[in-house]
Amino acid sequence: MQQNAAPQTDLPIVLGDEVETAMAAGRPLVALESTIITHGMPWPRNVETARQVEADIRAAGAVPATIAALDGVLHVGLSDARLEQLAKAEGVMKCSRADLAIALASGRPGSTTVAATMMAAHAAGIRVFATGGIGGVHRGAETSFDMSADLDELARTPVCVVAAGAKALLDLPKTLEVLETRGVPVIAHGQDAFPAFWSRDSGIAAPYRMDTAREIADLLDMRERFGGHGGVLVANPVPAEAEIPPAEIADAIDTAVGQASREGIAGKEVTPFILSRIFEITGGRSLETNIALVRNNARLAAEIAVALAERVATGIR
């Protein structure tokens, strides 16, 4: 079992200097998405958060690899200057599985969602990825058929995704049902309940619970032995001091979702619109919680990557 592997692909991938050095040395790596920078937070909180998340990963003993499409090249690991360039850029494509090749072929700048980051991380040989929350089944999907590509990506791409559950504006029971049907293990870290992004407890029991990064690393190793496997979702609850209670955030979500429906917001615009409205309704509190949970996920992802590296170093199989 390798901790990371050099890219084995014809894709136009460029490794950042820090990532390339870490990969050559067999050091633990953690992939990071870039949509949170371009579509999830305003300037300058976006670049400040990106830098802080990268620093959290380094402090935990791993190396960050923020991913984005720039000038027709898939960058795995961004320099500080490129991070700032991306954070200030306008008209950046929000790339999921269907869009990443278009961004690369056209040379348009593109930030990566969960699905596209998983694709890129796997192509680059990175096994662990930290994000805020995954996409899932939207409310009313029984008539709109609106379901995130993240779910199919988790089913097909062998990357461990550390997130604070699925975004709470989604239909969480249906999201978990789809993940179960597609054979994706869902592991709650340190608690029995499935977290709900801004809140620690969705009121739904998680399928499985694991309390340590080592347990999760053991699972990843065992799952990889099967071949043809997909990813693993590690649902990491937001720190208690930063959470927004479920009843409080539910009112904001209902208001935002209702407005999106009345205004005919659809497709990729739904989540950014609703998140923006929730930010306004909560007086900015949702953003502070979002930053706290992303940092928390980055730290756990780094611990998992370090535990995987230790397995390799000690010859555990």
Side-chain angles (χ1 to χ4, degrees):
M1 178 184 68
Q2 291 180 295
Q3 159 59 18
N4 303 294
Q8 300 293 321
T9 175
D10 292 331
L11 287 170
I13 290 182
V14 171
L15 302 180
D17 292 343
E18 185 182 16
V19 171
E20 186 171 27
T21 299
M23 193 167 286
R27 294 186 59 200
L29 286 158
V30 175
L32 295 168
E33 64 156 288
S34 49
T35 295
I36 195 171
I37 300 171
T38 59
H39 294 75
M41 295 182 187
W43 170 268
R45 294 303 299 277
N46 54 356
V47 72
E48 292 169 355
T49 301
R51 287 169 174 156
Q52 184 62 69
V53 167
E54 289 198 344
D56 289 334
I57 288 171
R58 294 186 185 102
V63 173
T66 301
I67 294 172
L70 299 169
D71 302 318
V73 174
L74 189 58
H75 289 263
V76 179
L78 299 181
S79 67
D80 189 69
R82 283 196 178 273
L83 264 183
E84 184 162 332
Q85 173 192 348
L86 187 66
K88 290 180 176 178
E90 297 181 358
V92 178
M93 290 180 65
K94 181 181 178 183
C95 295
S96 189
R97 170 167 279 270
D99 319 288
L100 188 54
I102 294 172
L104 293 172
S106 66
R108 292 176 60 187
S111 58
T112 55
T113 62
V114 169
T117 306
M118 290 183 71
M119 291 169 60
H122 181 53
I126 300 174
R127 300 167 68 195
V128 184
F129 161 39
T131 185
I134 66 163
V137 179
H138 281 262
R139 301 181 186 190
E142 60 272 16
T143 56
S144 70
F145 296 95
D146 192 352
M147 187 172 72
S148 172
D150 296 353
L151 301 181
D152 281 337
E153 205 62 48
L154 276 159
R156 68 160 65 91
T157 303
V159 171
C160 173
V161 179
V162 182
K167 294 182 176 71
L169 54 93
L170 302 169
D171 187 321
L172 297 185
K174 288 187 177 66
T175 296
L176 284 169
E177 182 61 35
V178 169
L179 289 170
E180 192 277 331
T181 299
R182 282 159 171 69
V184 178
V186 177
I187 313 299
H189 177 249
Q191 65 179 34
D192 297 320
F194 184 70
F197 198 64
W198 294 288
S199 306
R200 292 176 61 82
D201 187 346
S202 66
I204 305 168
Y208 296 99
R209 169 179 177 165
M210 291 184 178
D211 294 336
T212 68
R214 175 56 62 86
E215 289 178 276
I216 296 167
D218 291 347
L219 165 65
L220 297 177
D221 178 47
M222 183 59 67
R223 185 162 167 80
E224 288 183 3
R225 300 187 200 187
F226 281 92
H229 58 86
V232 171
L233 175 62
V234 176
N236 187 35
V238 61
E241 66 275 11
E243 83 161 330
I244 301 177
E248 182 179 339
I249 197 65
D251 289 341
I253 292 170
D254 289 344
T255 299
V257 169
Q259 184 176 347
S261 178
R262 290 191 299 274
E263 295 188 15
I265 307 298
K268 292 182 182 180
E269 302 307 316
V270 171
T271 298
F273 177 87
I274 292 175
L275 292 178
S276 176
R277 285 294 295 122
I278 291 172
F279 172 81
E280 295 169 3
I281 293 166
T282 62
R285 187 177 174 192
S286 63
L287 176 59
E288 301 308 318
T289 299
N290 194 355
I291 292 170
L293 66 85
V294 169
R295 293 186 62 188
N296 193 46
N297 295 341
R299 289 188 288 264
L300 177 58
E303 291 173 10
I304 294 168
V306 168
L308 285 169
E310 289 173 350
R311 289 182 64 88
V312 175
T314 57
I316 298 175
R317 177 62 199 181

